[in-house]
Amino acid sequence: MSLAALRRAARETVSGLPREFWWLWTSTLVNRLGAFVSTFMALYLTLDRGYSATYAGLVASLYGLGGVVSSIGSGVLTDRIGRRPTLLVAQSSTAASVALLGFMHDPVAIAAVACLVGAASNASRPAVQAMMADIVRPEDRVRAFSLNYWAINLGFAISSMAAGFIAEVSYRAGFLLEAGMTAVCAVVVFLRLPESRPTAPTTADGKEPTEAVGLRTVLRDRRFMSVVGLSFLVALVFQQGSVGLPVAMGEAGFTPADYGTAIAVNGFLIVALQIPVTRLIEHRDAKRLLVVSSILAGYGFGLTAFAGSVGVFALTVCVWTLGEMINAPTQTGLVVRLSPVQGRGRYQGMYILSWAVAALVAPLMSGFVIDHFGAEWLWGMCAVVGTGAAVGYGALMRGLPASGAMGVETPAAAEPEVSAA
């Protein structure tokens, strides 16, 4: 491809999106650039504080538990009080709790604050996804979700490298730097992002009717809850990249540097190829894409059973990373497509919950399977789970009309206007 063609492709990828989206995108990027806690928490607790690996695992679980609890609560707040206030509360709370964590010494206090950090940092996700769906046209949503996902991975890749150097100087400095950058995100939200929550319809006497979309509505939506269940299965597979893979490589005699080399391929490919892949899949049928992505995820990890060198491990990472790049924007677009406009926050919260629960279950599952049956059984289970998810998506979406652009809603779905706060 010529340089002119590359420039044209890049221009088409970023054109047509509203200014509010780019402020939201910038907030996401800045937030991920400061992701120090999630990257170096285990090293901080074991090397700097001298705690055991068991305690570090407990703290990681509590961090994840905080995210599980906040997913639903922040989804409800996103619909009730609005996207902008929820983002402000979540990001301000994250900045405060991360800074506090850097000064904690007592093990109980560290565990408690880590749980708060997990809850606060995860609380912004339903609001971000709902706001993005509000302000971006239906035909542009998959592209917008993909760009946001790209920003997350670009920020994480840069922060992971920078965090290593920061940790050599001072772990506390890393906590304070993350707190500061998260506070910057809160300022961006306050100054630049308008409220986008759809205005509730009114009755003949001018009063707002009783809220029609509640958590019961979400739980009774069988098709959507099936998507949540399938999302959990896919997330359970993808989690093995950071949970099962390092353990299995360690038991096979590979060093942490070997694992770092293999897993770095994941971040590099997403940063390099996410946008071109999105251009390729943007107008293809969502059902086929979700089936293909589930197969790539399951069998990408399944092939790990045959890996005997760092190069082969890296090749398996390439396979499941391609599945990840297809799945992320497609599945997010499907969630928006199935969500009523007035309940986007709750629906997004339930969807995000599936990933949070998978992050809790995956370490327990992979550790048990590797210890009692061996890593080969874990990779075989990944292939089976991926196949099951693919079959599930194929059956679930049989009744949905084919959509050229994933996430495009039916014409009857009213789109809210973005109003200045």
Side-chain angles (χ1 to χ4, degrees):
M1 184 180 289
S2 66
L3 182 60
L6 286 173
R7 288 177 177 174
R8 183 172 62 255
R11 186 166 55 251
E12 291 174 355
T13 299
V14 302
S15 63
L17 295 172
R19 181 180 59 184
E20 292 83 5
F21 164 79
W22 290 111
W23 283 115
L24 193 61
W25 183 90
T26 300
S27 174
T28 298
L29 179 61
V30 172
N31 190 44
R32 295 308 296 168
L33 284 171
F36 183 87
V37 172
S38 60
T39 306
F40 280 89
M41 174 64 80
L43 291 177
Y44 167 69
L45 294 175
T46 55
L47 298 182
D48 190 67
R49 293 296 184 187
Y51 294 115
S52 66
T54 301
Y55 174 76
L58 172 63
V59 172
S61 296
L62 290 172
Y63 180 92
L65 180 62
V68 170
V69 173
S70 68
S71 296
I72 299 300
S74 62
V76 172
L77 288 177
T78 295
D79 286 335
R80 283 190 175 179
I81 68 173
R83 284 68 159 134
R84 187 170 179 252
T86 303
L87 274 174
L88 280 170
V89 171
Q91 292 175 343
S92 300
S93 300
T94 301
S97 58
V98 167
L100 180 63
L101 185 60
F103 292 93
M104 293 295 99
H105 298 280
D106 181 76
V108 175
I110 290 175
V113 176
C115 187
L116 290 176
V117 173
S121 60
N122 200 59
S124 62
R125 293 180 62 187
V128 169
Q129 301 284 47
M131 179 176 278
M132 204 167 291
D134 294 340
I135 64 180
V136 176
R137 296 180 302 177
E139 61 268 26
D140 292 332
R141 283 181 186 148
V142 171
R143 183 158 53 100
F145 290 139
S146 182
L147 285 168
N148 192 64
Y149 186 67
W150 181 77
I152 290 171
N153 284 275
L154 176 63
F156 183 75
I158 296 174
S159 69
S160 296
M161 292 185 291
F165 295 102
I166 295 171
E168 292 183 359
V169 178
S170 170
Y171 281 95
R172 180 174 294 174
F175 287 115
L176 294 177
L177 181 62
E178 177 172 350
M181 297 189 77
T182 306
V184 169
C185 291
V187 172
V188 169
V189 168
F190 180 75
L191 295 178
R192 295 296 181 180
L193 287 177
E195 177 56 60
S196 65
R197 182 174 58 140
T199 303
T202 57
T203 58
D205 57 2
K207 296 181 180 180
E208 291 187 3
T210 303
E211 189 175 26
V213 179
L215 285 178
R216 285 187 178 182
T217 308
V218 182
L219 294 172
R220 290 175 178 173
D221 189 335
R222 294 183 180 179
R223 187 189 295 274
F224 178 77
M225 290 307 298
S226 297
V227 170
V228 171
L230 293 172
S231 170
F232 168 76
L233 294 180
V234 173
L236 204 60
V237 173
F238 281 128
Q239 287 291 333
Q240 301 309 320
S242 58
V243 176
L245 185 59
V247 175
M249 289 185 69
E251 289 198 349
F254 292 93
T255 66
D258 293 332
Y259 166 71
T261 300
I263 200 63
V265 174
N266 173 259
F268 174 79
L269 286 179
I270 291 176
V271 171
L273 299 180
Q274 181 67 59
I275 294 177
V277 167
T278 300
R279 286 179 56 81
L280 180 65
I281 69 174
E282 189 173 4
H283 300 292
R284 299 185 184 273
D285 182 42
K287 180 177 75 173
R288 294 180 180 178
L289 292 174
L290 288 170
V291 169
V292 169
S293 66
S294 300
I295 293 293
L296 288 172
Y299 285 89
F301 280 100
L303 290 172
T304 309
F306 304 99
S309 66
V310 176
V312 178
F313 275 113
L315 286 176
T316 65
V317 172
C318 290
V319 176
W320 58 260
T321 297
L322 180 58
E324 183 181 359
M325 288 189 288
I326 296 173
N327 178 271
T330 308
Q331 189 158 249
T332 307
L334 175 63
V335 171
V336 173
R337 183 180 177 187
L338 296 176
S339 306
V341 174
Q342 300 294 335
R344 280 176 178 159
R346 289 174 173 83
Y347 273 71
Q348 288 290 344
M350 187 63 69
Y351 165 63
I352 291 168
L353 178 67
S354 67
W355 284 82
V357 174
L360 279 180
V361 174
L364 301 175
M365 183 193 79
S366 59
F368 179 84
V369 173
I370 291 175
D371 286 342
H372 291 81
F373 303 101
E376 292 78 9
W377 278 85
L378 176 64
W379 308 131
M381 287 177 61
C382 287
V384 172
V385 172
T387 302
V391 173
Y393 278 121
L396 175 68
M397 299 187 66
R398 189 175 300 167
L400 283 180
S403 174
M406 293 86 70
V408 176
E409 299 171 5
T410 58
E415 287 301 311
E417 296 183 359
V418 177
S419 58

